[in-house]
Amino acid sequence: NQWRNAAAISNAGIEFLIKYEIFRRPDLYWKLSVNGAKNKNRYEKSYTGRDDRHGVIGKPLNQIYTFKTCGQYQDFSEFAKIYHVDGSTDYLSFFWGTRFQEGDYKIWDANNDDRIDENDYIASGSALPKFSGGILNEFSYKGFDLNLLLTFQLGRHIIYEPFISSFKTYVDNVNYKLLNHPLLFDIYKQKFWEKPGDSGNLPSANS
């Protein structure tokens, strides 16, 4: 193992806290506190001068990396064809060998290496909120106390995992593909690709 300065990261931010006593009486007390913070960071440079597993240069840390999709394959004529040096041809596929089918998402081969794998992930947004804060109300009335805290985060990106998990399947002893989780959304508001010309928000149910 070797220790070295492998990257440069910048961090900056500002925080504030405001308190105000609305009532201050012998039998009634109410104080309002508001706080907020804006923090940002950025991956400035890497050891190699290129993007790496730590981040994308010029982008914030805490990035969410996903595949970029460009619609759905309508028919086999749209499949990206790969030409090998020996003259043979093949079609773009995942690195484990699974080929795309009609109705599948078109996934962008970001590094143009003729296969889809984790190296094709792109930065799709930061999980770090642009602004966060809280509002605290402190009440006291004739010996009874009540504190009410409200927190918030604005401008962050998340992956709605329950929606994705709903489509996970398992194969039983007779090779039927069954859902492994309950559907955590309104199925009637979703549109699956079914035939050429469709433009559903979801790929074919057979994908």
Side-chain angles (χ1 to χ4, degrees):
N1 294 334
Q2 182 183 36
W3 290 94
R4 63 187 179 186
N5 291 323
I9 299 170
S10 63
N11 290 277
I14 185 172
E15 298 183 17
F16 69 86
L17 173 63
I18 300 173
K19 295 183 179 182
Y20 181 69
E21 291 184 342
I22 299 175
F23 291 110
R24 189 179 182 86
R25 301 172 183 171
D27 61 344
L28 177 62
Y29 178 78
W30 179 14
K31 182 170 74 174
L32 177 67
S33 302
V34 179
N35 70 82
K38 180 176 177 58
N39 300 286
K40 62 179 181 179
N41 57 47
R42 189 168 66 180
Y43 192 38
E44 299 291 352
K45 62 181 180 179
S46 67
Y47 179 77
T48 62
R50 296 176 296 187
D51 302 339
D52 57 24
R53 63 184 179 86
H54 300 293
V56 177
I57 296 175
K59 293 281 189 179
L61 298 176
N62 312 105
Q63 285 284 321
I64 296 174
Y65 293 93
T66 63
F67 290 123
K68 179 180 179 180
T69 59
C70 311
Q72 291 136 350
Y73 288 110
Q74 296 297 325
D75 56 57
F76 288 101
S77 66
E78 296 183 353
F79 292 172
K81 186 173 286 189
I82 300 167
Y83 298 88
H84 301 291
V85 293
D86 61 0
S88 62
T89 60
D90 203 350
Y91 290 98
L92 183 68
S93 64
F94 287 99
F95 73 95
W96 57 81
T98 302
R99 292 185 177 180
F100 291 99
Q101 304 176 38
E102 291 178 322
D104 284 348
Y105 281 131
K106 291 181 182 178
I107 298 178
W108 182 43
D109 183 13
N111 62 352
N112 200 31
D113 65 351
D114 296 331
R115 69 175 184 173
I116 302 299
D117 57 21
E118 67 275 6
N119 295 314
D120 295 305
Y121 286 147
I122 63 170
S124 300
S126 175
L128 184 70
K130 293 182 178 179
F131 187 79
S132 60
I135 301 173
L136 174 62
N137 284 280
E138 299 174 73
F139 300 96
S140 179
Y141 179 70
K142 293 184 178 182
F144 292 96
D145 297 327
L146 174 64
N147 293 339
L148 180 63
L149 175 62
L150 212 58
T151 62
F152 61 88
Q153 294 181 335
L154 304 174
R156 64 176 302 193
H157 291 78
I158 63 173
I159 295 178
Y160 184 47
E161 184 63 29
F163 183 84
I164 299 172
S165 297
S166 296
F167 294 100
K168 293 182 178 178
T169 59
Y170 71 95
V171 179
D172 67 6
N173 293 331
V174 290
N175 295 324
Y176 285 108
K177 186 179 284 189
L178 303 174
L179 290 174
N180 203 20
H181 298 269
L183 295 176
L184 303 176
F185 57 88
D186 188 349
I187 190 67
Y188 296 105
K189 293 183 179 180
Q190 313 303 320
K191 180 173 175 53
F192 292 89
W193 185 96
E194 296 181 30
K195 62 185 182 304
D198 284 350
S199 58
N201 65 307
L202 294 171
S204 168
N206 294 323
S207 297

